[in-house]
Amino acid sequence: MQKELFEVPVLYCNTDKATLRCAVAEDATGLELVVVDKNNSFYRTTFDVNSSLKKIKGDEKEWKAFYDSIIESCNSNDAKVVCNGNAEVTIGLAQFTVTKDASVKDGAYQMAQLLFDSINLRTDSKAATRFTEGLQKQEAELLRQVTAMEQEKRSLADMISFQEADEKANMEEYSTLQAQLSEITERWKVFCAENGKDPEAEDPDAPIEPDFSKPIGRRGTAQDCRKHDEELLRLAKSKFCPAENETVQTKALEGDNDNWLRVIRPYTKSQYDEHIKALPEGARAQCMKVIDKMDQWDYDVWVLQDLADKGSLFYTAYSVFCYWDFFRRFKIDEQIAMNFFTQVEAGYHACPYHNSMHGADVCHVAQYILQKGGLKEKAELTDEDCFATVVAGMIHDYDHPGLNNNFHVKIQSYLATLYNDRAILENHHLAEIFDLCKDPRFDIFHGFSDEQRRDVRETMIEMVTGTDMGLHAKIFGAWKRRIKQDHDLHKKKETQRQALVMAIKMADISNCGRPTFLYLRWGMKLIEEFFMQGDNERHRGDPVSPFMDRAAPSMSKSQIAFMNFVVVPMYESIAEYLPDMHFSVDHAEENKQYWNDNDDSV
Ligand SMILES: [Zn+2]
């Protein structure tokens, strides 16, 4: 609000043709002019200080001088009014066009009313207070809007800086790949020359993909366990399971009970506090800030991926195991667990979306739903159920080729034949993991009895196959019917597992329930993966699947439909059972609104 404006009193002036009133507008946005002419017609217009009034004032004059000249002219009746449809008003040198208000039948009465109101305002202290309160409310509202806009500005700035970091990393990777490509091309040319082949005869645009007509070989790395930041693991471990005393750190390993100390010796609580305090700013400190958020919704795998040598899955899995104290609870050999995490991480492809970061993300969210979401308590889940959930989360898209089940069915791939077109990839993720665990170096289940192993395996199979969106209607329908009856899911293994399937399904599409900038980061990656499948289909001469055509993007339409028909109903019904998860519905609604405001369809 403009300070000078408030020094303008209510001014009246009479000309031979009309009566004129000039005062601060009720909403304090500018100067209001009111005119009543001889025919009793009424004219009224507010001149906004930021637009029309500014124009009338001109650039030369200061506001104070401008208002002073208006006041002086009014007080000395130096005003002219010409009424011809509108009222053309001249006050001193300033010219105003005041619009006729035909809805007012008795202009003089209305003018008298205004006069009465302003006298009232001066003499009636309550009216004056009401007026001031009105202004204060407006001010508070404006301030609120400013704060909201500042917040939005900050989150946009965040998003931009993330994108810049992303772009930089992509460019670096791109140049590494370029260098590798030119080396391979050279070797290819030499090979062709030696074997009498024509290097130009190959199709350079052919998408590179595994031969889907054969079983896909085991992925993973040659090393059992990846390179890792031992101090970071030590801090993560000490945060969640600190050593009871200093002897724990030095004693020699004796047996199964010490399995949890096989690799990393944790600090005691007080040592941990000291180390955290002394931790210099940098990548490790940033990673610890993420790990600190284990039971918060804004745990950020993107930061871990960038700062911990692409290890978001490895470090998340390790930290989650410490958080749930699984190493001790199930006597798991820490080295075997670290080998397992390494192989799981390496088994994810470098797809835009279905990569190891997605595995890390789903692992984190699934355990969030168990703990903070209240599922463990409400469904009275066992430790084995929680273990199965965490592991199912991290492996649920293992060896995902970035091409979906429909694609496999369409090209009749080896996997489609093997699994008879039923939950093809989901079966594959599970089978590969259980096969991996036949090797004792990677057997994450080695501490279990046969019965525990069977139980965990069944839960994991139920959960991971449940992530097949082709089964969504069936699974979700059964869930809705079940919770309509009652919420006593804890009474049967079958209904406990039903709840666990819903938890991993929610975790799998939890991007939609994240703050908008994170949701968009994931969304852009997913659409890129869709487009790559579309490219692949086009190259094969097949029709391009809906929403996968790069040439006809329709992310807004597909996302709004997905939100309306899948995400929001599912989140709402989960929140009905777990009220602590309700906040995700609000995020989903906000994200839907984003696409309503930013339609990208052509
Ligand atoms: Zn997934």
Side-chain angles (χ1 to χ4, degrees):
M1 279 177 284
Q2 196 191 51
K3 203 172 97 246
E4 295 88 342
L5 177 67
F6 281 90
E7 280 157 22
V8 179
V10 180
L11 301 162
Y12 286 92
C13 106
N14 286 311
T15 70
D16 54 344
K17 296 207 173 66
T19 304
L20 170 68
R21 178 187 190 269
C22 172
V24 179
E26 208 169 310
D27 63 2
T29 55
L31 216 50
E32 184 191 56
L33 261 66
V34 175
V35 174
V36 178
D37 67 11
K38 290 239 157 114
N39 302 323
N40 209 15
S41 298
F42 189 77
Y43 308 79
R44 174 186 238 166
T45 298
T46 295
F47 298 88
D48 193 298
V49 283
N50 293 318
S51 49
S52 49
L53 193 61
K54 202 169 171 185
K55 223 187 242 166
I56 292 166
K57 172 182 78 79
D59 291 337
E60 321 281 79
K61 231 178 206 159
E62 294 294 323
W63 281 107
K64 172 102 177 64
F66 173 69
Y67 291 134
D68 282 349
S69 74
I70 299 265
I71 295 168
E72 206 186 305
S73 304
C74 278
N75 286 341
S76 56
N77 263 349
D78 176 14
K80 256 202 300 217
V81 178
V82 179
C83 296
N84 50 1
N86 294 323
E88 301 297 339
V89 177
T90 314
I91 306 175
L93 296 173
Q95 307 239 344
F96 303 85
T97 301
V98 185
T99 322
K100 186 166 182 171
D101 182 352
S103 69
V104 176
K105 296 290 169 242
D106 188 347
Y109 174 80
Q110 190 70 25
M111 183 64 101
Q113 193 67 40
L114 285 171
L115 179 64
F116 175 74
D117 283 350
S118 55
I119 293 169
N120 205 20
L121 200 63
R122 283 204 197 127
T123 52
D124 173 2
S125 67
K126 274 191 191 150
T129 315
R130 278 200 301 279
F131 182 70
T132 328
E133 278 172 2
L135 290 180
Q136 280 168 347
K137 260 190 208 151
Q138 277 172 27
E139 188 179 5
E141 172 57 19
L142 285 170
L143 274 173
R144 194 195 61 74
Q145 284 176 13
V146 169
T147 320
M149 283 170 82
E150 274 169 354
Q151 258 171 14
E152 198 175 322
K153 191 176 134 198
R154 270 200 300 277
S155 75
L156 281 172
D158 271 0
M159 189 169 149
I160 290 167
S161 73
F162 272 126
Q163 277 172 348
E164 281 171 357
D166 241 18
E167 202 174 309
K168 197 169 153 244
N170 285 341
M171 284 310 291
E172 278 168 15
E173 206 166 318
Y174 177 73
S175 36
T176 317
L177 288 174
Q178 277 287 2
Q180 285 171 2
L181 180 67
S182 46
E183 193 195 315
I184 291 169
T185 315
E186 277 314 304
R187 288 202 338 243
W188 168 241
K189 279 183 188 156
V190 172
F191 175 84
C192 289
E194 284 172 4
N195 294 282
K197 279 191 167 209
D198 176 11
E200 305 298 322
E202 291 294 311
D203 176 2
D205 291 332
I208 301 163
E209 61 182 43
D211 182 352
F212 285 112
S213 64
K214 297 198 179 77
I216 302 171
R218 162 81 54 78
R219 294 181 64 83
T221 67
Q223 290 167 304
D224 288 356
C225 184
R226 59 166 282 159
K227 274 200 310 209
H228 50 266
D229 177 350
E230 199 156 321
E231 183 58 18
L232 179 57
L233 293 182
R234 195 172 192 194
L235 288 169
K237 186 174 198 172
S238 315
K239 175 173 173 59
F240 301 120
C241 1
E244 279 138 37
N245 51 55
E246 287 177 28
T247 56
V248 167
Q249 294 159 25
T250 51
K251 75 172 185 178
L253 292 170
E254 281 160 5
D256 278 359
N257 286 337
D258 294 331
N259 270 348
W260 73 294
L261 300 171
R262 190 76 60 196
V263 187
I264 307 287
R265 300 291 171 101
Y267 295 119
T268 61
K269 176 83 182 70
S270 60
Q271 286 172 333
Y272 168 75
D273 290 341
E274 277 166 33
H275 275 85
I276 283 291
K277 217 185 270 171
L279 194 60
E281 266 306 309
R284 196 181 282 150
Q286 291 291 325
C287 291
M288 268 317 286
K289 275 187 194 145
V290 175
I291 292 167
D292 267 343
K293 292 188 168 179
M294 186 54 71
D295 51 15
Q296 291 176 37
W297 191 243
D298 57 349
Y299 181 93
D300 193 342
V301 294
W302 297 80
V303 174
L304 279 184
Q305 187 74 359
D306 286 347
L307 299 181
D309 190 20
K310 300 187 178 169
S312 59
L313 191 145
F314 180 82
Y315 290 98
T316 297
Y318 183 85
S319 308
V320 171
F321 264 53
C322 293
Y323 176 84
W324 287 84
D325 207 5
F326 285 150
F327 292 119
R328 272 187 289 195
R329 211 166 281 183
F330 295 121
K331 297 192 172 61
I332 299 172
D333 187 310
E334 197 178 24
Q335 184 62 65
I336 294 176
M338 285 166 69
N339 295 349
F340 176 77
F341 302 151
T342 299
Q343 300 305 318
V344 172
E345 183 170 85
Y348 276 89
H349 299 215
C351 300
Y353 183 84
H354 287 103
N355 51 42
S356 59
M357 263 202 292
H358 173 61
D361 193 43
V362 172
C363 172
H364 170 262
V365 176
Q367 66 86 40
Y368 178 97
I369 299 172
L370 289 178
Q371 188 76 295
K372 295 287 282 184
L375 180 58
K376 178 179 195 275
E377 199 184 333
K378 183 147 184 189
E380 297 179 14
L381 301 174
T382 62
D383 289 343
E384 284 79 359
D385 293 331
C386 297
F387 178 91
T389 304
V390 164
V391 179
M394 77 179 82
I395 63 106
H396 84 283
D397 274 326
Y398 178 83
D399 201 21
H400 194 300
L403 298 155
N404 66 14
N405 282 339
N406 287 340
F407 182 87
H408 283 263
V409 172
K410 206 155 55 179
I411 68 162
Q412 299 177 32
S413 70
Y414 173 82
L415 290 179
T417 312
L418 183 63
Y419 297 116
N420 301 309
D421 297 348
R422 299 283 185 274
I424 302 164
L425 287 171
E426 293 72 20
N427 274 308
H428 177 65
H429 309 316
L430 285 158
E432 284 296 310
I433 287 296
F434 286 112
D435 190 46
L436 173 75
C437 291
K438 285 183 180 156
D439 184 332
R441 288 173 300 165
F442 310 119
D443 182 11
I444 192 76
F445 310 107
H446 70 92
F448 289 150
S449 68
D450 286 352
E451 200 188 328
Q452 278 174 315
R453 194 184 269 257
R454 229 183 348 261
D455 174 35
V456 168
R457 176 173 153 83
E458 268 171 38
T459 308
M460 282 176 62
I461 291 175
E462 189 91 9
M463 289 181 79
V464 175
T465 44
T467 61
D468 177 5
M469 285 310 283
L471 301 172
H472 177 74
K474 197 171 150 196
I475 293 174
F476 184 52
W479 161 260
K480 274 200 301 194
R481 283 193 297 280
R482 183 59 192 82
I483 57 161
K484 215 173 183 181
Q485 279 172 33
D486 59 53
H487 285 188
D488 295 341
L489 307 185
H490 57 279
K491 289 185 175 160
K492 276 192 199 158
K493 188 97 207 163
E494 187 193 330
T495 45
Q496 284 176 316
R497 286 202 176 130
Q498 210 176 353
L500 283 172
V501 170
M502 291 312 293
I504 197 170
K505 276 172 69 59
M506 181 177 195
D508 200 16
I509 56 168
S510 59
N511 307 155
C512 302
R514 299 283 192 160
T516 304
F517 84 94
L518 267 180
Y519 158 71
L520 288 177
R521 293 191 84 184
W522 288 111
M524 296 305 165
K525 297 284 182 189
L526 183 61
I527 199 71
E528 181 51 30
E529 195 168 304
F530 282 174
F531 286 160
M532 283 167 77
Q533 176 168 331
D535 295 345
N536 213 313
E537 291 167 337
R538 194 179 301 106
H539 182 80
R540 285 171 178 273
D542 291 338
V544 176
S545 297
F547 310 126
M548 294 192 175
D549 191 346
R550 208 180 276 285
S554 56
M555 180 115 174
S556 50
K557 282 204 176 64
S558 64
Q559 282 293 300
I560 290 171
F562 187 58
M563 293 278 193
N564 282 342
F565 297 113
V566 178
V567 179
V568 173
M570 183 165 116
Y571 284 10
E572 274 174 347
S573 107
I574 289 176
E576 201 182 316
Y577 179 67
L578 300 174
D580 285 343
M581 292 307 298
H582 194 273
F583 65 91
S584 58
V585 181
D586 303 333
H587 280 306
E589 290 289 355
E590 270 165 36
N591 294 333
K592 193 170 86 184
Q593 191 53 41
Y594 175 88
W595 290 116
N596 278 323
D597 298 340
N598 296 278
D599 191 343
D600 68 338
S601 44
V602 287

